[in-house]
Amino acid sequence: MRIEAVNENTCIVYLGDEIGDQSAERVRWAFDRISSELADVLTDLVPSYTSILVSYEIDRIDRFGIKARIEAALCDISDEPTDQSTAAEILLPVYYGAEVALDLEAISAHAKLDMDEVVSIHSQNLYRVYAIGFSPGFAYLGQVDSRIAMPRKSTPRKRVPAGSLGIADTQTAIYPSVSPGGWQIIGRTPCKMIDLTSDSLARVAVGDRVRFQSISRDEYLALGGNFDEF
Amino acid sequence: MSFEVVKPGLLALLQDSGRQGFQHLGVTSGGPMDEQAFYLANKLLNNQPKAAQIEITFGMLSLRAQADCVVALTGADLGASINGESIEPWQRYKLQSGDLLDFGSPVKGLRAYLAVVGGFIVEPTLGSCATVAREGLGGLDGKGSKLIAGDILNFDQGAQPLSLDSLSWSIPNVLIPDYTKPIDLGVILAYQHESFSCVEMSKLFSTEYKVTQNIDRMGYRLSGSAIRSSLNGVISEGIACGAIQIPADGQPIVLMKDRQTIGGYPKIGCLTVLGVGRLSQTGPGSVVRFHPIDIAQAEAERMLFNTALATPA
């Protein structure tokens, strides 16, 4: 673990060097610890793949104090749970039909697999939320099975419909709102990923485990799914 | 008690001290680009430090007072006038119901702050009225819209007396920047600074950079000697206000108040938040220089400012 100053009210805690489940678990664990034990001095936390950016009230604590308190909060970091038993597991329904899976054909051609196989491989994995960013609620999940991994589109779409589920290399993500984007779209969820009017706000947090459940067109519609282009 | 927006100008936004505690969901902080000007405007009126104000970028805004009130104007000199009579920033002014407060175009600086006694009353979204258009958050409608003609901006002076005499604190000269002077911003070496060789690092600190046309509340793109990192990219990580990204073309981008929460470009260091404010007062073509500072200096700069703000009114 490394703690480095960034500016007068921000430092960054590095918890690993590689993207993966182990880093995600460490980040989730440390995020919970820091947010509960340093609540009196924190202004914001930004967990990501291998790090947590920590912003604090400079009138309450200085660069020495924040470092000492983070170290104390994470002192038993080597004893962190490794069985992932405390991370939430979230089931997300996804419709993989051609109307919404805008790039399924392309992925299938790239992977040299049938479209059904691509869907089956994608929906079998248990994923981890590695980071949230790009836009509110945009969650980066890994790892996508290497058989269906595919680079981003060379020309991004100007508008990707909300709820779209995409693949970029070995990561997969859901667009929580309409936005430009270059991920290869494989399906769409009827679920709202972020709802600023609800108390829970976002459906997933960094470190959560996510499983996609393939649903039929009827189920998709029954859950409030739509075929709006935008 | 309210103001009516007669003309919205180029970009007038409601801003409070910013949206805190939601960056882990990818929601940016927003808030005033120039914290020094913002906090001093509230201080002039003895307001709560975070009370909502209008951030006026470039000018051309026109407001009509619909009640007698006291306002404070700080930041850029945008050629403001009351009923046609010129006024200067960094002062309080008394307005009568029916008065017209007009902004022209930039004389010095780029962003002005207008506070009213008691602050503007705006329904917060996620705890703040800070307007972030990209995220559709904050502002009068809660959906990130900038001010438009016909908007009614309410305020409540409460039991505050309406006379200028009851407010005596004035801004110490040392806290009033001269926006016409060239700027030399302190950079804290942070993040991936070790991926820049001495030669590359010295470009940042010994040459001049120009503010380009590509500036907004998210970031300021600069142009000058290209700086090369030994890294192509980094694992995406949280971006602090003031972080200096160096993309592949070597031209620095300073991340401002509406920045994305995470990003994967190498970063050479970070400005202080007050430094971000100073940069935000510059427009395209302005010359910027940088010098290294250590974290202790950055902390001391902010503590001095906060101490000045904390002096009794």
Side-chain angles (χ1 to χ4, degrees), chain B residues 205-226:
Chain B
F205 295 128
S206 62
T207 65
E208 290 181 342
Y209 285 84
K210 268 211 169 107
V211 176
T212 69
Q213 297 282 343
N214 292 316
I215 57 169
D216 59 20
R217 287 186 43 90
M218 266 182 94
Y220 261 54
R221 284 175 185 265
L222 308 178
S223 73
S225 310

Short mmCIF file of all heavy atoms in Angstrom, two decimals, chain B residues 205-226:
data_model
loop_
_atom_site.label_atom_id
_atom_site.label_comp_id
_atom_site.label_asym_id
_atom_site.label_seq_id
_atom_site.Cartn_x
_atom_site.Cartn_y
_atom_site.Cartn_z
N PHE B 205 8.29 23.56 -16.61
CA PHE B 205 8.66 24.61 -15.67
C PHE B 205 9.52 25.72 -16.27
O PHE B 205 9.82 26.70 -15.60
CB PHE B 205 9.38 24.00 -14.46
CG PHE B 205 8.46 23.10 -13.65
CD1 PHE B 205 8.84 21.80 -13.33
CD2 PHE B 205 7.22 23.56 -13.22
CE1 PHE B 205 7.99 20.98 -12.59
CE2 PHE B 205 6.38 22.74 -12.48
CZ PHE B 205 6.76 21.45 -12.17
N SER B 206 9.95 25.56 -17.53
CA SER B 206 10.82 26.61 -18.06
C SER B 206 10.29 27.23 -19.34
O SER B 206 10.90 28.13 -19.89
CB SER B 206 12.23 26.05 -18.30
OG SER B 206 12.16 25.02 -19.25
N THR B 207 9.16 26.73 -19.84
CA THR B 207 8.62 27.35 -21.05
C THR B 207 7.21 27.87 -20.78
O THR B 207 6.61 27.54 -19.77
CB THR B 207 8.58 26.34 -22.23
OG1 THR B 207 7.68 25.30 -21.91
CG2 THR B 207 9.97 25.76 -22.49
N GLU B 208 6.73 28.67 -21.73
CA GLU B 208 5.39 29.24 -21.57
C GLU B 208 4.35 28.37 -22.26
O GLU B 208 4.62 27.79 -23.31
CB GLU B 208 5.35 30.64 -22.19
CG GLU B 208 6.14 31.65 -21.39
CD GLU B 208 6.06 33.04 -22.00
OE1 GLU B 208 5.70 33.16 -23.19
OE2 GLU B 208 6.37 34.01 -21.27
N TYR B 209 3.20 28.29 -21.66
CA TYR B 209 2.07 27.58 -22.29
C TYR B 209 0.97 28.60 -22.56
O TYR B 209 0.81 29.58 -21.83
CB TYR B 209 1.59 26.43 -21.40
CG TYR B 209 2.57 25.28 -21.48
CD1 TYR B 209 3.71 25.27 -20.68
CD2 TYR B 209 2.40 24.27 -22.41
CE1 TYR B 209 4.65 24.26 -20.80
CE2 TYR B 209 3.33 23.25 -22.53
CZ TYR B 209 4.45 23.25 -21.72
OH TYR B 209 5.38 22.26 -21.86
N LYS B 210 0.22 28.32 -23.62
CA LYS B 210 -0.88 29.21 -23.99
C LYS B 210 -2.20 28.52 -23.74
O LYS B 210 -2.37 27.33 -24.00
CB LYS B 210 -0.78 29.55 -25.49
CG LYS B 210 0.00 30.82 -25.76
CD LYS B 210 -0.53 31.53 -27.00
CE LYS B 210 0.09 32.92 -27.08
NZ LYS B 210 1.10 33.04 -28.12
N VAL B 211 -3.17 29.27 -23.25
CA VAL B 211 -4.52 28.76 -23.08
C VAL B 211 -5.15 28.70 -24.48
O VAL B 211 -5.11 29.68 -25.22
CB VAL B 211 -5.35 29.69 -22.16
CG1 VAL B 211 -6.79 29.22 -22.07
CG2 VAL B 211 -4.70 29.77 -20.78
N THR B 212 -5.69 27.52 -24.85
CA THR B 212 -6.28 27.36 -26.19
C THR B 212 -7.75 27.76 -26.18
O THR B 212 -8.28 28.20 -25.16
CB THR B 212 -6.18 25.89 -26.66
OG1 THR B 212 -7.06 25.10 -25.85
CG2 THR B 212 -4.75 25.37 -26.56
N GLN B 213 -8.41 27.55 -27.32
CA GLN B 213 -9.85 27.80 -27.43
C GLN B 213 -10.65 26.74 -26.67
O GLN B 213 -11.82 26.94 -26.37
CB GLN B 213 -10.29 27.74 -28.90
CG GLN B 213 -9.66 28.81 -29.79
CD GLN B 213 -10.33 30.17 -29.61
OE1 GLN B 213 -11.42 30.27 -29.09
NE2 GLN B 213 -9.64 31.22 -30.04
N ASN B 214 -10.00 25.58 -26.45
CA ASN B 214 -10.72 24.45 -25.83
C ASN B 214 -10.68 24.54 -24.32
O ASN B 214 -9.92 23.84 -23.65
CB ASN B 214 -10.13 23.12 -26.29
CG ASN B 214 -10.40 22.87 -27.74
OD1 ASN B 214 -11.52 23.10 -28.23
ND2 ASN B 214 -9.39 22.43 -28.46
N ILE B 215 -11.51 25.42 -23.79
CA ILE B 215 -11.57 25.56 -22.34
C ILE B 215 -13.04 25.52 -21.93
O ILE B 215 -13.90 26.08 -22.59
CB ILE B 215 -10.92 26.87 -21.85
CG1 ILE B 215 -11.56 28.09 -22.52
CG2 ILE B 215 -9.42 26.84 -22.10
CD1 ILE B 215 -11.15 29.41 -21.90
N ASP B 216 -13.30 24.80 -20.89
CA ASP B 216 -14.64 24.83 -20.33
C ASP B 216 -14.55 24.45 -18.86
O ASP B 216 -13.46 24.38 -18.30
CB ASP B 216 -15.60 23.91 -21.11
CG ASP B 216 -15.16 22.46 -21.13
OD1 ASP B 216 -14.34 22.07 -20.26
OD2 ASP B 216 -15.62 21.71 -22.00
N ARG B 217 -15.70 24.20 -18.25
CA ARG B 217 -15.70 23.90 -16.82
C ARG B 217 -15.11 22.53 -16.50
O ARG B 217 -14.79 22.23 -15.37
CB ARG B 217 -17.12 24.04 -16.24
CG ARG B 217 -17.58 25.51 -16.13
CD ARG B 217 -18.92 25.61 -15.42
NE ARG B 217 -18.97 24.75 -14.28
CZ ARG B 217 -18.60 25.11 -13.03
NH1 ARG B 217 -18.21 26.33 -12.79
NH2 ARG B 217 -18.65 24.23 -12.06
N MET B 218 -14.95 21.68 -17.53
CA MET B 218 -14.31 20.37 -17.32
C MET B 218 -12.80 20.48 -17.32
O MET B 218 -12.13 19.90 -16.49
CB MET B 218 -14.71 19.42 -18.44
CG MET B 218 -15.88 18.54 -18.16
SD MET B 218 -16.16 17.44 -19.57
CE MET B 218 -15.25 16.01 -19.04
N GLY B 219 -12.27 21.17 -18.32
CA GLY B 219 -10.83 21.20 -18.47
C GLY B 219 -10.34 22.37 -19.29
O GLY B 219 -11.09 22.95 -20.07
N TYR B 220 -9.07 22.71 -19.07
CA TYR B 220 -8.39 23.74 -19.83
C TYR B 220 -7.29 23.06 -20.63
O TYR B 220 -6.36 22.49 -20.07
CB TYR B 220 -7.75 24.77 -18.88
CG TYR B 220 -8.56 26.03 -18.70
CD1 TYR B 220 -9.90 25.97 -18.30
CD2 TYR B 220 -7.99 27.29 -18.92
CE1 TYR B 220 -10.63 27.14 -18.14
CE2 TYR B 220 -8.72 28.46 -18.75
CZ TYR B 220 -10.04 28.38 -18.36
OH TYR B 220 -10.76 29.54 -18.19
N ARG B 221 -7.41 23.12 -21.97
CA ARG B 221 -6.34 22.59 -22.81
C ARG B 221 -5.34 23.69 -23.08
O ARG B 221 -5.71 24.79 -23.48
CB ARG B 221 -6.90 22.08 -24.14
CG ARG B 221 -7.60 20.75 -24.01
CD ARG B 221 -8.24 20.34 -25.33
NE ARG B 221 -9.00 19.13 -25.15
CZ ARG B 221 -8.52 17.90 -25.41
NH1 ARG B 221 -7.29 17.75 -25.88
NH2 ARG B 221 -9.27 16.84 -25.20
N LEU B 222 -4.06 23.36 -22.87
CA LEU B 222 -3.00 24.33 -23.08
C LEU B 222 -2.18 23.90 -24.28
O LEU B 222 -2.22 22.74 -24.69
CB LEU B 222 -2.12 24.40 -21.84
CG LEU B 222 -2.84 24.62 -20.50
CD1 LEU B 222 -1.84 24.63 -19.34
CD2 LEU B 222 -3.64 25.93 -20.50
N SER B 223 -1.41 24.83 -24.86
CA SER B 223 -0.50 24.42 -25.93
C SER B 223 0.86 25.04 -25.69
O SER B 223 0.99 26.14 -25.17
CB SER B 223 -1.06 24.80 -27.29
OG SER B 223 -0.97 26.19 -27.50
N GLY B 224 1.88 24.27 -26.06
CA GLY B 224 3.27 24.70 -25.86
C GLY B 224 4.18 23.53 -26.14
O GLY B 224 3.80 22.62 -26.89
N SER B 225 5.39 23.54 -25.54
CA SER B 225 6.32 22.43 -25.76
C SER B 225 5.67 21.12 -25.35
O SER B 225 5.20 20.99 -24.22
CB SER B 225 7.57 22.60 -24.90
OG SER B 225 8.09 23.89 -25.04
N ALA B 226 5.70 20.15 -26.26
CA ALA B 226 5.08 18.86 -25.96
C ALA B 226 5.90 18.14 -24.89
O ALA B 226 7.13 18.14 -24.91
CB ALA B 226 5.00 18.01 -27.22
#
